[in-house]
Amino acid sequence: MAISKLTNYKLSSFFEEQREKNKEKRLNTQMNLLETPIEYLKGVGPQRGDLLRKELGIHKYADLLNLFPNRYIDRTRYYKINELQNSNSEVQIVGKIINIKTVEQGKGRSRLVATFVDDTGQMELVWFQGQKWIRESIKINIPYVIFGKVTQFGATYNMAHPEMELLEEHKASLRSAMQPVYPSTEKLANKGISNKVINKMMQQLFVETQALFSENLPNYLLDELKLIPKNAALFNIHFPKSQDLLAKAQFRLKFEELFFIQLQLITKNLIRKHKIKGMPFERVGENFTDFYNNHLPFDLTNAQKRVLKEIRNDLGSNAQMNRLLQGDVGSGKTIVALMCMLLAKDNGFQSCLMAPTEILANQHFNGITELAKELNITIKILTGSTKTAERKIIHEALENGTLDILIGTHALLEDKVQFHNLGLAIIDEQHRFGVEQRSKLWKKNDVPPHVLVMTATPIPRTLAMSLYGDLDISVIDELPPGRKPIQTVHRYDSNRLKVWKFLKDEIAKGRQVYIVYPLIQESEKMDYKDLMDGYESISRDFPLPQYSISIVHGKMKPTDKDEEMRRFSEGKTNIMVATTVIEVGVNVPNASVMVIESAERFGLSQLHQLRGRVGRGAEQSYCILMTSHKLSNDSKIRMETMVRTNDGFEISEVDLKLRGPGDIMGKQQSGVLNLQIADLVKDKEILQLARHHAIKLLKDDAPMEKPEHSKLREAFIELSKKKTIWNYIS
């Protein structure tokens, strides 16, 4: 069917005609057509097909169909020449070229200039490149539609390198008033695959498929949410006739993408709860009760009590627990973890806690050993530094069941590490572990252990619903009593003398100070120099014997690093000069000031994590953000946010807006959120709506076996086969 013929139909009547012609058979044909390799589309061919595969991941017709525009240029209005203004904006005009000439510019350069007229005046069109081809292809005194940016020289307006189309072809083409701009790459542009070429490919795709695509959402959902049909949505996302139709198409396709993700995540959760039987912890025994009644170092907060209740309910059921515990720095996750492990012990099971670094594993080990010192339980630590003789003792105690709690790093995943009866696995900062690493831990037992995932990196609600939508989520959202909020200030380098005086005043009160320098791998040498220069400068300003300084950085041997940290922890040094190795794992209640040098080079979540190293004692603590005067807008927002709030969840929301979801989750998870059209920052209301309706549907018909869910089920099964977002979830 020719493009001109296709556009003669109104969209609605076009779809009505198609429905009448053997609907089911035609739909199946079109769906098979979408699996066709992209090189078979008219106008593509093997060379272009290869480029589209490599540059944009377009392998078949369906991939091109789901290449959604980044933005749209408004082509709804045609300007007259006498309406033009010197605004540097893009406009389109209908008129004729009445003459064309080459103007010499000296030094062998020239430009091609055409006089373009309409019934209100005249202007100039200018080309600096491709002059020979343009001169040969231009038709004099034939109506054109031109489009581009207008500039003014004297009394004359001109447009450089305009997009041009004969008015007759412009009217005939399958063209939208809102012109789409598609994702592209430099390589595609260099090989002549411009936005215009991709647009023509898209037109050809709609011609070959006759714009007939299978609906996969149930009718009652379309009616309830007033969603336009799939056909209309795909047509209007690529060829929108108005802003209103474009908005409806975007809403429909964003909802569908997020709805299927939520269906998958919630289904995984339901399947696990029904199929993966857990080991019920049926009793609250003497270890838990003795600790709660006699050895708690402070009263639990209401948030800690609520979270413990949620975890106890999970552990007492017949299903395997798979819960995410979010809690800001210093909110008391460790004590909750210990109480869960005591429940395991009371029910005859072993527990393990896995942390991403030795520093953090040691911190957990020291903290939990101290908390449990009055209890009759055995606790060991296993890391890469554990000596062979000690490893052998740990392995034997694990296998014969005399070891109750094992804390460690990746060393816990080694094949030699075998438990007698692992009942609870706790993972701290799980986003630092790969999926395969985590799954190794589950396989240490015939029956999968209960799983508690902990993070001190607050995750925005939208990310939590998408990345961890298959886990149940608990949040500790209050700090233990007696903790004073950390006072945060932003100071420029020019204020350094005043900052140094403040540090000396704090040290005189018996307090200790962190001074942190950034470490960015790409410029490690420069950063090391910054650190050493800073250390020398601080040594001059804080001289011996009145002051003593520790230094810690990534180039040091682990034993030297541990020694320096120990000296600071024991109060033998006043100042700790360090890189970000102290982001996690250092707990010195007497340290009351954190100075962060070149704070503009840190991300928000890292600044918040670093700040959490102070404020652990009863005294007032401070965080001083030092920067140069030259700050980008994003850096200014980061500094203002840190000064304004200590709330990790609020900070994480700002961070999400500034950096995007892929960056927040780090390299290991960055591919997880390559959504085709939805945006987790901008579309959180649509995400919440999608999750609500996914839960509602699965409560009513979890297997999706009702007749009205047949198409939904087909699409769900197809999507589940692909390695998309949900295959990477914990």
Side-chain angles (χ1 to χ4, degrees):
M1 185 182 289
I3 292 176
S4 56
K5 212 170 183 182
L6 184 60
T7 48
N8 288 337
Y9 296 120
K10 286 185 179 175
L11 188 59
S12 56
S13 61
F14 172 74
F15 290 144
E16 283 301 323
E17 268 184 46
Q18 301 305 321
R19 285 191 190 98
E20 289 168 13
K21 295 180 181 177
N22 200 346
K23 185 171 132 186
E24 202 60 41
K25 186 179 174 185
R26 296 287 295 277
L27 275 173
N28 288 336
T29 304
Q30 308 309 72
M31 292 314 291
N32 291 336
L33 192 57
L34 289 176
E35 296 300 309
T36 307
I38 193 64
E39 55 265 35
Y40 291 102
L41 184 72
K42 187 180 176 184
V44 177
Q47 282 187 318
R48 281 183 169 178
D50 193 46
L51 267 173
L52 289 171
R53 262 191 295 277
K54 287 175 182 171
E55 296 297 301
L56 294 176
I58 294 171
H59 296 263
K60 53 190 179 182
Y61 283 22
D63 298 326
L64 180 62
L65 182 67
N66 290 316
L67 179 72
F68 298 122
N70 285 332
R71 59 189 178 89
Y72 297 83
I73 297 168
D74 190 348
R75 301 286 281 258
T76 54
R77 184 173 173 196
Y78 297 88
Y79 284 77
K80 295 288 187 181
I81 290 173
N82 69 353
E83 294 176 317
L84 298 180
Q85 295 180 3
N86 190 23
S87 62
N88 204 33
S89 58
E90 293 177 313
V91 296
Q92 63 182 354
I93 310 162
V94 179
K96 298 176 183 176
I97 292 171
I98 56 171
N99 67 60
I100 188 163
K101 62 184 178 181
T102 299
V103 178
E104 298 300 327
Q105 296 182 190
K107 293 185 179 179
R109 292 183 301 167
S110 65
R111 67 182 186 272
L112 191 65
V113 180
T115 304
F116 186 79
V117 301
D118 68 2
D119 55 3
T120 69
Q122 71 177 46
M123 64 182 290
E124 289 183 345
L125 309 181
V126 185
W127 294 269
F128 299 96
Q129 294 167 338
Q131 295 178 30
K132 183 175 183 293
W133 177 82
I134 289 160
R135 184 171 210 136
E136 288 172 358
S137 61
I138 277 176
K139 297 179 179 178
I140 304 292
N141 288 317
I142 301 292
Y144 275 98
V145 177
I146 63 165
F147 178 82
K149 282 187 179 178
V150 172
T151 51
Q152 188 177 14
F153 287 96
T156 306
Y157 286 99
N158 72 35
M159 188 182 287
H161 289 273
E163 283 185 32
M164 296 180 64
E165 192 173 23
L166 290 168
L167 179 62
E168 188 180 358
E169 289 178 6
H170 179 82
K171 286 178 176 176
S173 65
L174 179 58
R175 171 177 294 281
S176 85
M178 305 295 300
Q179 186 168 319
V181 178
Y182 290 97
S184 189
T185 66
E186 192 178 342
K187 199 165 187 180
L188 286 175
N190 290 341
K191 295 289 185 180
I193 304 179
S194 63
N195 192 66
K196 192 173 182 180
V197 169
I198 291 178
N199 199 289
K200 284 193 171 175
M201 289 178 186
M202 201 66 75
Q203 292 182 28
Q204 184 61 32
L205 176 69
F206 272 71
V207 169
E208 290 189 25
T209 58
Q210 298 180 34
L212 191 62
F213 309 108
S214 179
E215 181 59 73
N216 50 19
L217 294 181
N219 288 334
Y220 69 81
L221 201 53
L222 299 178
D223 294 341
E224 186 180 340
L225 298 176
K226 298 184 172 60
L227 299 175
I228 62 173
K230 181 73 172 268
N231 278 329
L234 286 168
F235 189 94
N236 281 288
I237 206 76
H238 295 294
F239 311 107
K241 295 296 181 188
S242 68
Q243 287 277 12
D244 181 55
L245 279 169
L246 173 60
K248 286 177 177 173
Q250 287 174 327
F251 184 86
R252 155 66 207 245
L253 294 170
K254 286 176 178 183
F255 176 85
E256 181 181 316
E257 181 169 40
L258 295 170
F259 180 69
F260 274 102
I261 287 170
Q262 292 304 317
L263 275 182
Q264 181 73 22
L265 292 171
I266 298 158
T267 300
K268 278 184 77 172
N269 198 333
L270 291 172
I271 288 170
R272 193 186 63 249
K273 284 180 177 175
H274 284 98
K275 288 193 175 177
I276 304 178
K277 297 301 175 191
M279 295 161 284
F281 294 3
E282 292 169 340
R283 57 194 293 265
V284 177
E286 60 182 276
N287 288 291
F288 185 94
T289 309
D290 181 28
F291 180 76
Y292 187 83
N293 291 334
N294 305 315
H295 305 298
L296 269 178
F298 48 76
D299 290 338
L300 295 181
T301 62
N302 288 328
Q304 285 172 312
K305 288 175 183 173
R306 182 187 69 243
V307 164
L308 267 172
K309 189 176 180 183
E310 290 166 353
I311 292 170
R312 279 178 57 186
N313 286 341
D314 283 357
L315 296 174
S317 74
N318 285 319
Q320 180 213 23
M321 176 175 78
N322 204 19
R323 187 169 283 277
L324 171 67
L325 174 58
Q326 288 193 73
D328 220 334
V329 176
S331 62
K333 295 183 300 299
T334 305
I335 207 160
V336 169
L338 171 60
M339 294 176 80
C340 295
M341 292 192 278
L342 293 178
L343 278 172
K345 165 73 174 166
D346 284 340
N347 286 274
F349 294 102
Q350 295 168 302
S351 305
C352 69
L353 192 160
M354 185 167 73
T357 64
E358 284 202 23
I359 293 172
L360 193 50
N362 276 306
Q363 184 190 320
H364 281 307
F365 177 69
N366 294 334
I368 287 172
T369 303
E370 177 62 26
L371 286 167
K373 64 186 177 187
E374 302 294 334
L375 304 176
N376 184 29
I377 60 171
T378 53
I379 307 169
K380 293 282 184 183
I381 183 166
L382 180 64
T383 70
S385 305
T386 306
K387 300 272 191 300
T388 307
E390 179 63 16
R391 280 173 185 266
K392 193 176 178 188
I393 294 166
I394 290 170
H395 292 160
E396 286 175 5
L398 265 189
E399 288 185 46
N400 65 32
T402 55
L403 179 54
D404 301 310
I405 295 172
L406 180 61
I407 295 167
T409 56
H410 299 77
L412 269 60
L413 304 174
E414 293 169 2
D415 292 337
K416 288 180 182 177
V417 178
Q418 295 297 324
F419 292 83
H420 177 65
N421 56 350
L422 179 63
L424 174 66
I426 300 176
I427 300 182
D428 198 20
E429 299 300 344
Q430 81 135 13
H431 59 279
R432 300 192 185 197
F433 295 100
V435 178
E436 286 177 20
Q437 288 177 314
R438 298 195 302 266
S439 66
K440 271 188 179 179
L441 203 51
W442 314 163
K443 292 167 185 170
K444 297 278 184 185
N445 229 48
D446 293 336
V447 179
H450 295 292
V451 178
L452 182 66
V453 170
M454 300 198 301
T455 181
T457 307
I459 302 163
R461 182 170 163 73
T462 47
L463 269 187
M465 279 195 290
S466 297
L467 278 171
Y468 300 110
D470 62 329
L471 282 87
D472 298 307
I473 298 176
S474 292
V475 179
I476 303 179
D477 50 9
E478 58 182 310
L479 293 176
R483 288 276 178 93
K484 292 178 181 172
I486 301 161
Q487 287 187 18
T488 304
V489 293
H490 173 210
R491 296 287 181 264
Y492 294 107
D493 291 334
S494 54
N495 303 125
R496 189 169 297 280
L497 285 176
K498 287 183 179 177
V499 171
W500 267 201
K501 182 179 183 309
F502 177 73
L503 298 189
K504 287 174 180 177
D505 290 345
E506 283 294 296
I507 291 169
K509 294 177 191 172
R511 313 272 182 265
Q512 289 167 280
V513 174
Y514 294 107
I515 301 177
V516 180
Y517 286 81
L519 183 67
I520 301 169
Q521 284 178 344
E522 286 87 306
S523 56
E524 198 170 316
K525 286 179 184 173
M526 184 186 82
D527 292 316
Y528 181 67
K529 183 177 181 297
D530 283 355
L531 178 77
M532 298 318 292
D533 287 350
Y535 175 68
E536 287 173 18
S537 172
I538 292 161
S539 298
R540 286 193 299 271
D541 293 332
F542 295 85
L544 288 165
Q546 192 177 356
Y547 304 99
S548 56
I549 303 169
S550 289
I551 183 165
V552 174
H553 57 82
K555 288 179 176 258
M556 293 170 73
K557 291 177 182 174
T559 50
D560 295 342
K561 203 185 296 181
D562 290 343
E563 173 61 16
E564 288 291 285
M565 286 187 168
R566 186 187 60 75
R567 289 176 66 221
F568 187 67
S569 297
E570 292 175 0
K572 291 177 181 173
T573 55
N574 316 111
I575 299 170
M576 164 76 81
V577 177
T579 57
T580 52
V581 292
I582 61 145
E583 183 184 343
V584 293
V586 183
N587 184 20
V588 183
N590 191 48
S592 64
V593 185
M594 165 72 67
V595 178
I596 303 177
E597 295 283 358
S598 304
E600 69 271 27
R601 288 171 66 185
F602 292 88
L604 257 180
S605 61
Q606 200 174 26
L607 288 171
H608 182 61
Q609 288 285 329
L610 285 167
R611 174 168 64 181
R613 295 299 106 206
V614 294
R616 290 171 170 257
E619 304 303 326
Q620 179 62 58
S621 290
Y622 306 89
C623 178
I624 303 169
L625 307 170
M626 301 294 294
T627 72
S628 64
H629 279 274
K630 289 181 181 177
L631 293 179
S632 67
N633 283 338
D634 280 5
S635 294
K636 284 176 186 171
I637 292 169
R638 289 200 295 273
M639 298 309 116
E640 288 162 7
T641 304
M642 287 293 293
V643 170
R644 187 185 75 248
T645 182
N646 280 292
D647 183 338
F649 289 95
E650 186 182 341
I651 287 166
S652 73
E653 291 287 351
V654 177
D655 204 21
L656 180 63
K657 286 175 186 170
L658 289 177
R659 291 164 63 201
D663 285 341
I664 281 190
M665 295 319 296
K667 287 181 183 174
Q668 282 182 314
Q669 304 266 10
S670 61
V672 166
L673 291 163
N674 293 333
L675 301 175
Q676 289 179 316
I677 189 166
D679 181 316
L680 291 180
V681 180
K682 297 173 186 171
D683 301 322
K684 59 183 178 185
E685 286 83 9
I686 303 176
L687 173 61
Q688 285 163 354
L689 186 71
R691 187 166 178 84
H692 166 75
H693 283 282
I695 290 168
K696 193 173 166 186
L697 185 146
L698 291 170
K699 275 185 181 174
D700 174 56
D701 180 22
M704 295 179 242
E705 288 175 344
K706 289 186 175 180
E708 62 266 33
H709 294 150
S710 60
K711 288 289 179 189
L712 181 78
R713 181 182 167 83
E714 280 176 32
F716 179 80
I717 290 167
E718 271 309 303
L719 282 170
S720 299
K721 292 175 185 174
K722 298 175 184 175
K723 280 202 169 186
T724 45
I725 178 171
W726 41 69
N727 296 80
Y728 297 96
I729 311 302
S730 62

